[in-house]
Amino acid sequence: MVKKNPLPLPDLVLKHHSADLYPLLDQWLSQKKVAPVQLMTGPAGVGKREVVYFLSQWLLCQNNDLSDQDAENDLFGQPATLSTDKDIHQPCDKCSSCQKALSGNWIDFCEIASDSEDSDSNSIKIDQLRELRSSLGFAAYESRFKIVLIRDAEKMTVQAANSLLKIMEEPPPGWMFFLTASDPSLLLPTLVSRCQVLRLKPLPSEIIEELIQQIDPKRARISARLANGSWSKAISICDEVFWEKRSAVFRFLQNPASELGALVDWAASDLKNLLLLIDHLEQVLEDLINWTLNNEKEEPCQTLPFINEDYANVLDTFAQSSIAKMGSRENLKAFLIERAERIFRARSEIQAPLNKKIVVQDILLPWV
Ligand SMILES: [Zn+2]
């Protein structure tokens, strides 16, 4: 079990999610009770973990409108007393619980996650759930709740998921469980059925552009397009490696045979690299497939809404020369759809330990 420092959730991101969060808080306040198992879903990088930190701080805050009632009465239908002199949707940031949360020294909060996110065996294992189960006899130390975050719950092994299900069947009094999952279809349906589900929406590109303006103003616009609604992806895009490898992918598109070796070696050397390559190829494919759909007359068109708008010429040249080579726009479209399906399969394949080089070659060789 690990404790983590909270990450700052930019006001802009919190404001975007507040449309979903505030009704949830209003529901908790009016019912004077909270469902013990919450599932937070939404695209990767949209801020699910940070939203759980926010909700946990709110729940543990000694000045929220849940905890300032008499504990015996407020669980049984007493009407909520909503204060008018404070924002009921915000933790106070001043009480000792809030201070501990803000400094990362949580007392009644813990987080369970896969051991190492970048390795090939990035699962949440049964031992981590055993450790959790052994601590279930303990009550909250100083707050009303003891909160557990299980991050990326779809990474639980089958044994770990079954162990969690046993806990969910009879949650210990005063304990709350937050699960986050980008793909809830990978969770046990019996687990999902026990959760109150909140789905966070992707971030609009205007919000991401505004956030990146403060870090890399020159690339803010294109970064926002490439981030595809993901805040964490937007942050990772600010890394220079991202832009270097993006250039390499477009060099590959212009001259596949000479760029293949270097790209395979780089992508096969690390799971993180492979995921980055897949991200780049997916967006290139989306642009090219849109090109074939929009460009009915097979004429050059520089005004297409490319995601990779700064590489419009390269994409256009690739599409034109591929049509000349393959005989028709329909043949190019079929080739691109086949490549997109291969990439889609690769995403699930790389969840398991495997020879990354074989996967990368299988993805890239048909382009040569
Ligand atoms: Zn507080």
Side-chain angles (χ1 to χ4, degrees):
M1 215 181 291
V2 289
K3 284 183 181 177
K4 298 268 182 173
N5 285 344
L7 300 174
L9 191 65
D11 288 345
L12 272 174
V13 178
L14 186 58
K15 198 173 162 201
H16 168 71
H17 291 318
S18 64
D20 295 313
L21 290 178
Y22 288 3
L24 180 70
L25 296 182
D26 289 338
Q27 184 195 347
W28 291 351
L29 285 167
S30 66
Q31 294 179 351
K32 305 309 282 179
K33 66 176 180 185
V34 179
V37 192
Q38 307 279 331
L39 171 61
M40 195 75 60
T41 70
V46 80
K48 296 186 288 295
R49 177 190 187 189
E50 292 74 18
V51 162
V52 171
Y53 284 139
F54 168 80
L55 289 175
S56 299
Q57 188 192 336
W58 186 91
L59 283 161
L60 297 176
C61 174
Q62 288 152 12
N63 291 318
N64 71 24
D65 284 277
L66 280 175
S67 57
D68 65 6
Q69 301 289 315
D70 179 75
E72 291 299 315
N73 290 331
D74 60 14
L75 288 172
F76 297 100
Q78 291 292 312
T81 311
L82 302 183
S83 309
T84 51
D85 57 345
K86 67 172 182 180
D87 185 349
I88 56 166
H89 300 120
Q90 295 292 330
C92 77
D93 282 352
K94 294 188 178 76
C95 71
S96 64
S97 290
C98 280
Q99 287 296 310
K100 286 180 183 122
L102 291 170
S103 63
N105 298 309
W106 302 84
I107 295 289
D108 289 313
F109 173 91
C110 68
E111 181 171 348
I112 295 174
S114 62
D115 291 337
S116 55
E117 289 167 46
D118 299 332
S119 80
D120 285 348
S121 57
N122 57 349
S123 54
I124 298 173
K125 299 181 179 65
I126 181 73
D127 285 349
Q128 293 169 277
L129 269 294
R130 282 197 186 114
E131 193 187 338
L132 172 66
R133 290 187 76 171
S134 69
S135 64
L136 292 179
F138 298 99
Y141 181 71
E142 65 170 16
S143 312
R144 185 174 166 183
F145 301 102
K146 205 153 175 78
I147 298 178
V148 180
L149 161 60
I150 299 177
R151 180 155 51 93
D152 299 327
E154 67 267 54
K155 289 184 180 171
M156 280 187 291
T157 62
V158 175
Q159 295 93 328
N162 278 313
S163 179
L164 180 63
L165 187 59
K166 284 204 181 77
I167 299 173
M168 303 290 103
E169 281 166 359
E170 207 173 331
W175 282 65
M176 269 201 73
F177 299 86
F178 281 101
L179 279 60
T180 66
S182 301
D183 186 354
S185 71
L186 298 174
L187 293 171
L188 291 177
T190 41
L191 202 58
V192 177
S193 68
R194 293 182 183 277
C195 300
Q196 180 173 27
V197 181
L198 180 68
R199 180 171 171 76
L200 298 180
K201 297 183 185 74
L203 299 168
S205 64
E206 305 84 65
I207 289 185
I208 295 180
E209 188 172 340
E210 207 172 323
L211 289 169
I212 299 179
Q213 276 291 351
Q214 298 153 25
I215 308 168
D216 190 353
K218 279 187 187 161
R219 288 171 176 156
R221 184 181 143 86
I222 184 70
S223 300
R225 292 176 79 91
L226 295 169
N228 199 21
S230 163
W231 173 46
S232 63
K233 188 167 180 194
I235 299 298
S236 72
I237 284 175
C238 295
D239 187 339
E240 212 49 47
V241 173
F242 175 91
W243 299 98
E244 282 167 24
K245 292 308 161 191
R246 184 164 173 262
S247 305
V249 167
F250 280 97
R251 284 200 304 277
F252 172 75
L253 213 57
Q254 290 166 290
N255 198 343
S258 69
E259 298 291 330
L260 178 72
L263 205 52
V264 168
D265 287 346
W266 168 75
S269 66
D270 193 289
L271 184 64
K272 216 170 165 180
N273 296 351
L274 182 49
L275 285 167
L276 185 54
L277 174 71
I278 287 176
D279 280 353
H280 283 312
L281 286 175
E282 268 180 351
Q283 292 183 324
V284 165
L285 281 163
E286 193 176 330
D287 278 343
L288 288 170
I289 289 171
N290 280 336
W291 188 98
T292 63
L293 295 173
N294 294 340
N295 209 13
E296 293 291 338
K297 292 174 186 167
E298 302 183 10
E299 287 170 357
C301 177
Q302 299 302 324
T303 54
L304 288 171
F306 285 134
I307 303 168
N308 297 285
E309 58 182 8
D310 49 342
Y311 279 102
N313 285 333
V314 177
L315 291 163
D316 195 64
T317 306
F318 175 86
Q320 296 288 351
S321 63
S322 298
I323 287 173
K325 209 160 58 183
M326 295 175 187
S328 73
R329 188 172 53 84
E330 285 308 311
N331 288 349
L332 171 61
K333 193 158 75 180
F335 169 81
L336 295 170
I337 289 171
E338 226 174 283
R339 302 280 62 76
E341 285 170 354
R342 181 66 194 91
I343 295 273
F344 182 78
R345 287 202 307 279
R347 273 215 187 272
S348 52
E349 285 169 8
I350 58 179
Q351 299 302 321
L354 44 70
N355 186 337
K356 291 189 278 295
K357 195 157 189 168
I358 293 173
V359 176
V360 182
Q361 284 174 337
D362 202 31
I363 290 171
L364 294 179
L365 273 175
W367 294 78
V368 178

